[in-house]
Amino acid sequence: MTRISVKVDGTVYQDEVEPRLLLIHYLRDRLGLTGTPIGCDTSNCGACTVDLDGASVKSCSVLAVQADGSEVTTVQGLARDGEWTALQHAFHERHALQCGYCTPGMLMAARDLLRDNARPTPDEVRHALEGNLCRCTGYQNIVRAVLDAAETAEQGVAT
Amino acid sequence: MSEVGTARLRKEDARLLTGQTRWTDNIDATGMLHLAVLRSPMAHARVDRVDVSPALERPGVVAAFSGADLAEGMGSLPCAWPVTEDIVLPDHPPIATSEVRFAGDPVAVVVARDRYAAADALEAVEVEYTPLPPVLDLEEALAEGAPLVHSDKGTNRCYDWPLRTGEDFAEVRRRAEVTLKRRYHQQRLIPNAMEPRAVVVTPTAASDEYTVHSSTQIPHILRVMLAVVTGVPEHKLRVVAPDVGGGFGSKLQVYGEEAITLAVARRLGRPVKWTESRSEGYLATHHGRGMIQDIEIAANRDGTLLGLKADLLVDMGAYLMLVTPGIPILGAFMYPGIYKMGSYELNVTGVFTTRTPTDAYRGAGRPEATYAIERIMDELADELGLDPVELRRRNWIRHEEFPYTTIAGLTYDSGNYEAATDKALALFDYDKLRAEQADRNQRGDTVRLGIGVSTYTEMCGLAPSRVLRDLRYAAGGWEAASVRMLPTGKVEVVTGTSPHGQGHATSWSQIAADVLGVPFDDVQVVHGDTRAAPQGMDTYGSRSLVVGGTAVHHAATKVVDKARKVAAHLLEANEGDLEFTDGVFSVKGSPDARRTIQEIAFETFTSHDLPDGVEPTINAGHLTDPDNFSYPHGTHLCAVEVDTETGQTRIRSYVAVDDVGRVINPLIVEGQVHGGLAQGIAQALYEEAVYDEEGNLVSGTMADYLVPAAPDLPEFVTDRTETPATTNPLGVKGVGEAGTIASTPAVVGAIVDALRPLGVRDLRMPCTPERVWQALKEASA
Ligand code: FES
Ligand code: FES
C-alpha cells in the first residue's frame, strides 16, 4: 500500500492504494467519480481520458500512485458553479453525442487540443481526437462542435 | 408551433455532458461482490476436469463455481427464432459443463470482494481439456464426415430456408440474354458498442426478489427470458436498463453472463456485478454478419431485370442466440431491393462453426442483402455497358407505382426513388466527377478515381405480429406507450422502447407535446425499467419510432379524447361543439368559454365535478401492432481515390440522400445517418474478425481490430427527401440503420469502379491497402 495525495476536481483526497491500482479505478471505485467511463483494456478507446496536471491522459494507462501530488480534472469538474464550458455547450448544440459513452473522453481530449491550438483546422481536430473512439456519431458533429467551441473560446468563454 | 419537425436539442445531453451518468458499471451496492469469468482458450475441446477450489484460497475470493456447479436449475439460453420446423436447436448452457465450442465459452466463475482479486483468482482455477477439431470453413463444415460442433446433432447444418416466388428461376435463366454470377463474402464484424456489457444483480433480502441492471437493449424481453432460464419467477424480477452506451444489436441479447450473475447472486444472497473487459467482449459478445453469398442475376440486353437467385451460407457460430437464425431471414425479403423482376429464388443455409455466435448487428440481414444486389447491379451495368445509375433507373419501382408488392412479397407503401437519386446526383456533381475519372484513366494516373452508387431500401418498423408468427418468431412486434397527465399539468410519457443513444426522450416529448398542446419541457419520458414501464418490446431494427412513437401518438390522442369529455361537462357544451387547439378546449362560437388541458388534469385529480360514469383520470395507454413494415430508402454516392502504388483508398466525397418519411427531429436524424455511415464504411474498409486455423480470434483487442477513428472518416454531405409512410399516423419510417445499409456497397462499388480499367472485377471486404494492392497485382499478372 502506498500513500497518495491527489486533488481531483478541486477536492484533495488522501488515500492508501495498492501500487498496481489504475487511476481510472481509483477515480471510479474509490472516489465514486463515475463520470469517467472505461471502454477498453488496451488504452485504445480514449473513453477514460482525464486531465493530469494540464495534459490529457488516458487514465487507464496511469497508476494511481503516479498521480500522487498531482491535480486531476475529470468531466465532472468541467462545469463551474453549474456553468457549462464552451465545449459542453457546443457538443450539445451540434448533437455531438448520442449514447454519450465516449463524450467525457472527447471533451477532455478536445479541451487539451484547444489549449495548444486555439484555432485548429478540421483536419487538426480529427487528428487530435485520433485516440478517442466513438461508435455513434461518425465524428462529424464532434469535429463541428470543437470548431464551434474554438470560436466561442476566442471570445473569452472557458473551454 | 409544431414540435414535430423542429431540431430540438436533446434532453438527454445534460447528464451525459457533465458525467452524471448511470452506466450499469457505475452501480455500487453495499456488500457487492465482483464476478469474473474464466473462458475457454480453445475453439473446441472436451472439458475433462474443472477444479475451482484453488481459487478459493486466493485473497478476497468469496466463492467460485464450475459449469457443473451452476448447472442445476439453469435452463438453456433461448433461441426465439426457430425459423423452420426441423431446425437443429442445440442445447446452450449459459456456462459450459462438458464441452467448449468457441474460444471464449465460459467454463468457471470466481466471485471476490473487488474486481482485481476476482480477475487474479481466475488463474488459480484448474481446467483440463481434450482438444477437439475446430470447425471453421462453412463449406467444409457441411461435407460428409466433417467434425461436428454438436456431436449429438449429427450435422453442422442448422437449417435450410427456401423462398421461391414468381416464375421458375431456371426457366428465366434459360431465356435471359445475360446472366451473371458472383460470390460475395460478408466478413464477421465485432459490434463494439463503446460501453462494454455489464450486469449488476441486487437481491432483496430474504424474498427471492431481484433487481437486474443490465446494459441491454431489451429489458422487457430479458426479464421474461431470465425467468425462463433461471427459474426466478417473472414477477420477482425487475430489469433495468439504465444509461446504455450503444448497442447496435449486440445488446439485443440474452447473455449467459446475465443468467450466471443472477444465479450466483441468488445463491450468495448478495449483490453481484460482472463487467466485461473489451478483449473479453470480443470473444463473448455476439458478432455480426459472417456469410457467403452466391448471387445470380438474369436480365435482357436493354438492362431489364428478369430474375434473381441467392444462395446464402450463414455462419451461426457455435450456438443459436436469441435471434441468430432469423437474421438472414430478415434480409431474405430485401435481395430484390427497389427493383422490379419476375422471378426470385433464395436458399438460406445456417451452419454451425466453432466461433463466437453471430446475431443482430446494425441492419441485421438487410446490409448483407443490399450489398449483394447493389454490387451485382454494378457488375451487370458493366457487362451491358450502361451507366450504373441508368441501369437502376430502368428497373426501379416508379413513384406512381406505389403501393407496390415486390417479387419477395412485401408491399412497399410509399417511396420516391427518382427524387432521392436526382437530389443526390446534383449534390455530388456526378457528371463532373465522371469526367475527371475519364481524364485520370486516360492519363494513366497512379491515383484513380472511382464512383459508387447505392440505391437502397430497408425494412423497418419490426413488425406486424402476424407476420412474425408466419416467420416462426416467438414473440409479437407491438409496442406500448402510456401518457400520464399529472395534477399540475405536467406529463409523463412511458414507453416500452429502450433507447441507448437514439434520443427517444427528446423525440417522444415532441410527439406528445404536439398532440397534447403542452410545452416540450413539460414532458418527461420514462423508459428502460420493467417496473416503471411494464410493457414493451424494446429497441432494435429501427422499430422504436415507427412502432413505439406511433403508440405514444395514439396514447396522447386518447388522453385528449378523455379530456374532451370532462371539458364538455365543465363548459356545459356538447363534445362535438368543442375545439382543441394548442392545449385549449373552447366552445365554437364563444371563445371565452375555454379550459386548458392542464386545468382538466387538475379537475380529474380533485374529481369534485366529473360527469357521471367518467373515471377520475385522463391518463391513457395504447399498444400498437403495426399493419406493415416501413420502407425508408435513399441514394448514396461515394467517390474514392485509390492510390494504385500503395493500395490506399481515400474517400473523396460522400453524399447521402435518405428518405425516412416524416422527420420528427432533423438534428437526430442527421446524427443517426452519420453514425450509420461510419459503421457501413468501416465494414467496407477496415473491420474484420479474423480467426487463425485453430479457431482463435486473432483480432482480439482494439489494437488488432480496426475501429475507425476521426481521421479515418470523411465529411459527409447529407440531405433528404420526405415521402411520408402511409401505414402510421406520424408518417415515419425509421432511420437508425439506413447509413449502414447503404454505405458498404457504395464504398466497395467505388473502389471496384476505380480499378476496373486495370482489370480488377471484385474485392473482398474489408478493402485494406494490402488487399487492393494484391488485387491489382493479380489483375496485371
Ligand atoms: S479505457 Fe482507457 S483508453 Fe480505453
Ligand atoms: S456517442 Fe456513443 S460512442 Fe460516442
Side-chain angles (χ1 to χ4, degrees), chain B residues 77-102:
Chain B
L77 290 175
C79 169
W81 204 338
V83 291
T84 61
E85 225 158 291
D86 56 355
I87 187 172
V88 172
L89 283 173
D91 193 42
H92 185 188
I95 175 165
T97 49
S98 56
E99 194 169 322
V100 285
R101 296 190 170 87
F102 65 95

Side-chain angles (χ1 to χ4, degrees), chain A residues 24 36-49 57-61 101 131-133, chain B residues 194 278 702:
Chain A
I24 183 63
T36 307
I38 303 172
C40 72
D41 41 42
T42 45
S43 299
N44 287 93
C45 77
C48 66
T49 306
V57 297
K58 293 180 173 176
S59 60
C60 70
S61 59
Y101 202 78
N132 290 70
L133 299 176
Chain B
M194 285 308 298
R278 178 67 51 180
M702 263 190 178

Side-chain angles (χ1 to χ4, degrees), chain B residues 385-660:
Chain B
L386 282 174
D387 180 278
V389 178
E390 176 56 26
L391 176 67
R392 286 163 169 86
R393 266 186 210 286
R394 290 188 189 181
N395 287 289
W396 67 36
I397 303 154
R398 291 189 313 274
H399 74 276
E400 68 272 12
E401 292 175 292
F402 289 94
Y404 183 91
T405 300
T406 73
I407 188 71
L410 298 173
T411 301
Y412 295 174
D413 63 314
S414 71
N416 189 336
Y417 308 139
E418 298 90 319
T421 305
D422 291 344
K423 198 169 201 177
L425 291 170
L427 284 168
F428 189 69
D429 219 343
Y430 188 75
D431 295 335
K432 197 164 145 214
L433 281 165
R434 281 282 182 219
E436 182 188 330
Q437 177 184 38
D439 178 56
R440 286 200 195 205
N441 290 348
Q442 186 86 44
R443 285 190 281 119
D445 197 339
T446 56
V447 177
R448 294 298 173 107
L449 185 70
I451 294 170
V453 56
S454 165
T455 46
Y456 76 100
T457 185
E458 61 162 323
M459 179 175 80
C460 296
L462 308 173
S465 296
R466 268 175 297 196
V467 174
L468 292 175
R469 171 200 63 197
D470 293 345
L471 294 174
R472 301 178 50 86
Y473 179 59
W478 49 265
E479 195 47 82
S482 56
V483 174
R484 303 196 288 242
M485 289 290 296
L486 306 178
T488 56
K490 306 294 184 203
V491 180
E492 281 176 342
V493 169
V494 182
T495 176
T497 64
S498 191
H500 32 283
Q502 297 92 338
H504 294 181
T506 303
S507 306
W508 280 214
S509 294
Q510 291 178 276
I511 295 168
D514 267 4
V515 178
L516 299 170
V518 303
F520 169 78
D521 287 329
D522 284 1
V523 185
Q524 183 75 18
V525 176
V526 177
H527 62 71
D529 179 342
T530 60
R531 192 160 287 165
Q535 281 179 302
M537 282 293 182
D538 307 315
T539 288
Y540 48 89
S542 293
R543 71 187 298 278
S544 290
L545 179 58
V546 185
V547 195
T550 295
V552 171
H553 173 90
H554 285 307
T557 305
K558 283 184 181 174
V559 169
V560 173
D561 290 345
K562 284 185 171 182
R564 181 178 283 112
K565 281 198 175 36
V566 179
H569 172 76
L570 295 172
L571 293 166
E572 295 175 355
N574 285 327
E575 272 184 62
D577 292 337
L578 289 187
E579 278 174 346
F580 182 68
T581 351
D582 294 334
V584 180
F585 292 98
S586 56
V587 181
K588 278 182 208 154
S590 37
D592 290 344
R594 60 205 301 274
R595 285 284 195 284
T596 65
I597 193 161
Q598 291 90 344
E599 287 166 349
I600 306 290
F602 191 75
E603 290 290 345
T604 54
F605 168 67
T606 66
S607 295
H608 291 169
D609 184 17
L610 292 184
D612 289 343
V614 166
E615 277 183 291
T617 172
I618 53 171
N619 296 348
H622 191 87
L623 278 89
T624 294
D625 202 334
D627 298 331
N628 189 357
F629 297 94
S630 60
Y631 302 96
H633 69 83
T635 297
H636 288 210
L637 289 160
C638 175
V640 296
E641 285 175 3
V642 186
D643 187 328
T644 55
E645 287 176 340
T646 62
Q648 187 77 40
T649 297
R650 186 180 80 88
I651 295 183
R652 158 115 158 241
S653 64
Y654 196 101
V655 168
V657 175
D658 295 292
D659 193 325
V660 297

Side-chain angles (χ1 to χ4, degrees), chain A residues 96-103 133-137 142, chain B residues 194 245-246:
Chain A
L97 64 158
Q98 291 184 24
C99 77
Y101 202 78
C102 69
T103 309
L133 299 176
C134 173
R135 206 56 170 165
C136 302
T137 66
I142 295 175
Chain B
M194 285 308 298

Side-chain angles (χ1 to χ4, degrees), chain B residues 8-27:
Chain B
R8 273 283 183 191
L9 299 183
R10 294 200 322 169
K11 292 185 163 178
E12 290 86 344
D13 290 357
R15 70 173 183 280
L16 301 172
L17 284 165
T18 53
Q20 308 303 312
T21 39
R22 297 171 297 137
W23 312 117
T24 298
D25 189 50
N26 292 2
I27 290 166

